[in-house]
């Protein structure tokens, strides 16, 4: 189910003194099963792009197509969009509002025509997937959960719908390292099971580890769209654009500067380690 963003522009508060051009003529296609990372400075239009893809706002110009259908055309079935796309906002915990965790997670399942037993199964699966003991957490008030737990409960609510495409807007911001790793591993597993992932992130390490493709926005324009390896190993350009650089890439660069040729395309820890091992064993090819 490809998502096509066709020459999309978005202007906030059009026609007022507060008019802001947030996106200009952005085009991209996301194919089924991709893991796409979106990078760019604050204010470059990442959240705007995601809200347009998710149908929360309409493009000022251009079209968003899902399976070839214009999601903003008259008569487009909005429930279809809600079933297919799940969005996790930067602070999803603010989306919690039901009296119990189970009710909250089941909220998005209302219009799916599932039986009561199926709804419970989905809630159980989603809560267990994000690391909860279903029996223990189901009756608790979401308000009583810790920050990290709230975040996980909110993500469970999005997962429960089993969307084909999961969109994350800076999901690891404010999470501790353990929670961050767990969330990234979860997205990896979901992607391996076929879910398309679109993730806005400032975390170059996480994107290097998981994303297959990277899109870079700058001042509302798409300036890069390509293989993660190619974009994330281009240290010179990343530095010039003041974008994050993954630790393994930085370490590889430091080693090159010291005359150790470790290759120019290292972006992940396991690659760095295996190259170092090769080097120590004297087997590096020039
Ligand atoms: N609700 C809004 N009203 C007016 N301007 C907005 C609104 N939301 C975002 N903007 C502006 O649109 C631009 C893009 O914002 P945003 O998409 O939130 O960027 P990012 O997510 O990359 O930080 C920025 O200039 C921002 O100030
Ligand atoms: Mg944003």
């Amino acid at each position: 189910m490809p998502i096509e963003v066709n020459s999309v522009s978005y202007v906030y508060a059009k026609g007022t003194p507060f008019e802001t051009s947030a996106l200009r003529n952005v085009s991209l296609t996301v194919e089924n099963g991709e893991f796409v990372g979106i990078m760019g400075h604050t204010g470059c239009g990442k959240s705007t792009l995601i809200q347009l893809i998710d149908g929360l706002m309409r493009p000022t110009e251009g079209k968003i197509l899902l399976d070839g259908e214009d999601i903003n055309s008259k008569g487009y079935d909005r429930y279809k969009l809600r079933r297919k796309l799940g969005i996790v906002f930067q602070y999803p915990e603010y989306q919690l509002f039901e009296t119990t965790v189970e009710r909250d997670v089941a909220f998005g399942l209302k219009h799916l025509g599932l039986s009561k037993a199926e709804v419970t199964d989905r809630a159980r699966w989603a809560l267990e997937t994000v690391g909860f003991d279903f029996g223990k957490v189901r009756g608790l008030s979401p308000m009583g959960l810790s920050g990290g737990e709230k975040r996980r409960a909110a993500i469970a609510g999005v997962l429960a719908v089993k969307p084909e495409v999961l969109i994350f807007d800076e999901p690891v911001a404010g999470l501790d390292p353990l929670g961050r790793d767990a969330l990234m591993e979860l997205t990896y597993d979901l992607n391996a099971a076929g879910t398309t992932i679109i993730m806005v992130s400032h975390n170059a390490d996480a994107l290097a580890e998981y994303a297959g493709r990277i899109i870079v926005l700058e001042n509302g324009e798409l300036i890069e769209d390509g293989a993660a390896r190619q974009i994330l190993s281009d240290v010179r350009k990343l530095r010039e654009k003041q974008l994050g650089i993954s630790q393994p890439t930085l370490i590889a660069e430091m080693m090159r500067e010291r005359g150790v040729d470790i290759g120019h395309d290292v972006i992940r820890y396991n690659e760095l380690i295996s190259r170092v091992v090769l080097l120590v064993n004297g087997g590096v090819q020039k």
Side-chain angles (χ1 to χ4, degrees), residues 10 12-13 18-23 40-51 57 90 169-170 200 202 217 220:
Y10 191 80
Y12 284 100
F18 305 104
E19 186 167 305
T20 308
S21 160
L23 283 180
H41 296 178
T42 302
C44 71
K46 304 180 296 296
S47 295
T48 302
L49 176 62
I50 274 178
Q51 290 173 81
M57 308 189 305
Q90 185 164 11
D169 195 352
E170 308 199 25
V200 170
H202 284 298
L217 296 180

Side-chain angles (χ1 to χ4, degrees), residues 55-241:
L56 297 170
M57 308 189 305
R58 274 171 165 271
T60 310
E61 274 175 64
K63 285 194 171 118
I64 311 276
L65 308 182
L66 190 61
D67 283 336
E69 282 185 272
D70 182 344
I71 64 168
N72 294 298
S73 66
K74 257 195 192 143
Y76 182 79
D77 178 5
R78 280 280 158 148
Y79 285 131
K80 191 151 75 187
L81 191 65
R82 293 277 74 80
R83 273 197 306 276
K84 289 190 173 197
L85 300 191
I87 185 163
V88 178
F89 293 101
Q90 185 164 11
Y91 295 103
E93 49 273 34
Y94 295 139
Q95 294 165 253
L96 298 167
F97 55 90
E98 283 280 358
T99 48
T100 69
V101 171
E102 181 176 3
R103 288 172 69 105
D104 224 312
V105 170
F107 182 80
L109 304 174
K110 275 188 181 162
H111 301 289
L112 300 189
L114 301 173
S115 71
K116 234 177 148 184
E118 284 169 326
V119 168
T120 307
D121 282 350
R122 287 277 190 104
R124 175 194 301 277
W125 169 80
L127 283 163
E128 286 177 355
T129 299
V130 298
F132 282 113
D133 179 325
F134 181 63
K136 279 192 186 148
V137 82
R138 64 189 298 187
L140 300 180
S141 160
M143 298 309 140
L145 302 176
S146 75
E149 287 169 341
K150 277 185 187 158
R151 174 88 48 109
R152 283 193 282 137
I155 292 171
V158 178
L159 289 185
V161 179
K162 299 207 173 181
E164 294 167 31
V165 181
L166 261 173
I167 304 174
F168 292 89
D169 195 352
E170 308 199 25
V172 298
L175 281 186
D176 58 51
L178 260 183
R180 199 157 61 205
D181 289 351
L183 178 61
M184 289 309 298
E185 270 166 36
L186 170 62
T187 60
Y188 177 81
D189 290 344
L190 290 167
N191 183 241
T195 307
T196 305
I197 308 279
I198 300 175
M199 181 178 283
V200 170
S201 180
H202 284 298
N203 188 327
D205 279 36
L207 291 182
E209 224 41 66
Y210 298 105
R213 174 174 160 204
I214 298 287
I215 285 166
V216 183
L217 296 180
E218 186 180 76
N219 289 326
E221 286 172 16
L222 188 152
I223 59 162
E224 296 276 349
D225 179 356
R229 177 166 314 285
Q230 178 225 319
I231 290 175
L232 294 175
S233 62
D234 192 344
V235 185
R236 202 171 47 84
K237 193 177 271 171
L238 291 171
R239 209 164 262 139
E240 178 194 313
K241 299 286 178 191

Side-chain angles (χ1 to χ4, degrees), residues 236-275:
R236 202 171 47 84
K237 193 177 271 171
L238 291 171
R239 209 164 262 139
E240 178 194 313
K241 299 286 178 191
Q242 295 182 300
L243 294 167
I245 303 173
S246 80
Q247 287 296 321
T249 302
L250 284 174
I251 294 168
E253 184 196 34
M254 266 178 343
M255 293 178 77
R256 282 197 305 273
E257 282 170 1
R258 282 160 180 72
V260 185
D261 187 2
I262 194 157
H264 282 78
D265 59 347
V266 171
I267 60 171
R268 299 178 180 162
Y269 278 106
N270 63 348
E271 297 161 359
L272 181 68
I273 291 164
S274 57
R275 300 273 173 96

